[in-house]
Amino acid sequence: MGKQSWKPGNMLYPVPAVLVTVADRAGKPNIFTVAWTGTVCSDPPMVSISVRPERYSHQMIEETGEFVINLTTRKLAYATDYCGVRSGRDTDKIKDMHLNLVSGQEVGAPLLAESPVNLECRVTDTLRLGTHDMYLAQVVAVHADEAFMDSSGRFVFDKAEPIAYSHGGYYLLGKKLGTFGYSVKRKK
């Protein structure tokens, strides 16, 4: 099997495509798509998002130090793309996509009602990294849609039909292949 050598680049795909909601100090909301996001720490629960300084929402995060990560689904795929290619400077993306916002519990940024999971986040550190600023943030509240709970109260995310982003495309995530530790679990 041959391999080609390419110049260094970000080839870590697929990645989650999330909708991030923010609000400025006056409470004016905006929503935008972020594909550079991830888990940073489990205790305390922390995540990161990387945002270009020229993005309209960047200044809102700088002002308030808060944002909400809203996980995306097949039903949100069109809005996810739209909110990544349109600017809140030029249009009201929330209105354009007929999205519904609800108040957060711990932060001033709103939650996207259509999202199956919302992570309320408070920025702890900002890393100025070149083309993007990375916001490290503590997760201060989590909201899960009861429509995706099983009879034992466990969240079943695959029922929400989550999506991921890879090389310019959005993909529906497939079925579960195993659970954590299944490779070493004793066979019955």
Side-chain angles (χ1 to χ4, degrees):
M1 170 171 83
K3 294 225 179 212
Q4 296 180 4
S5 291
W6 294 353
K7 69 178 184 169
N10 294 330
M11 293 294 294
L12 184 61
Y13 286 107
V15 294
V18 299
L19 287 165
V20 175
T21 44
V22 295
D24 63 17
R25 281 190 195 127
K28 180 183 178 192
N30 192 45
I31 187 168
F32 69 113
T33 304
V34 173
W36 292 359
T37 184
T39 298
V40 175
C41 186
S42 56
D43 187 16
M46 294 185 72
V47 293
S48 71
I49 62 172
S50 292
V51 181
R52 288 182 180 269
E54 61 268 17
R55 297 285 300 260
Y56 179 62
S57 294
H58 183 276
Q59 184 56 42
M60 293 180 180
I61 297 170
E62 290 286 316
E63 281 182 14
T64 66
E66 298 176 340
F67 58 87
V68 176
I69 294 176
N70 304 277
L71 301 187
T72 55
T73 64
R74 176 195 291 245
K75 288 181 181 177
L76 287 169
Y78 188 85
T80 301
D81 183 64
Y82 185 85
C83 292
V85 297
R86 295 286 184 240
S87 173
R89 282 185 190 94
D90 306 322
T91 189
D92 183 343
K93 296 182 280 185
I94 299 156
K95 181 180 174 186
D96 294 349
M97 292 291 101
H98 309 287
L99 298 172
N100 298 290
L101 301 180
V102 295
S103 296
Q105 180 180 331
E106 298 292 328
V107 301
L111 314 177
L112 177 61
E114 291 82 358
S115 174
V117 177
N118 319 90
L119 307 174
E120 293 188 55
C121 303
R122 193 165 287 128
V123 175
T124 60
D125 292 293
T126 303
L127 300 172
R128 313 278 182 212
L129 299 172
T131 59
H132 290 71
D133 289 345
M134 177 187 280
Y135 295 106
L136 297 175
Q138 186 164 350
V139 177
V140 295
V142 177
H143 307 273
D145 191 326
E146 292 174 346
F148 304 107
M149 302 290 187
D150 67 12
S151 59
S152 65
R154 188 178 64 88
F155 189 78
V156 185
F157 191 59
D158 56 330
K159 286 174 53 176
E161 299 186 293
I163 61 172
Y165 179 81
S166 183
H167 298 306
Y170 299 95
Y171 295 88
L172 187 63
L173 295 179
K175 66 180 183 180
K176 184 180 357 180
L177 301 175
T179 59
F180 180 77
Y182 84 103
S183 65
V184 295
K185 188 174 183 180
R186 292 189 181 178
K187 308 276 190 261
K188 292 183 180 179

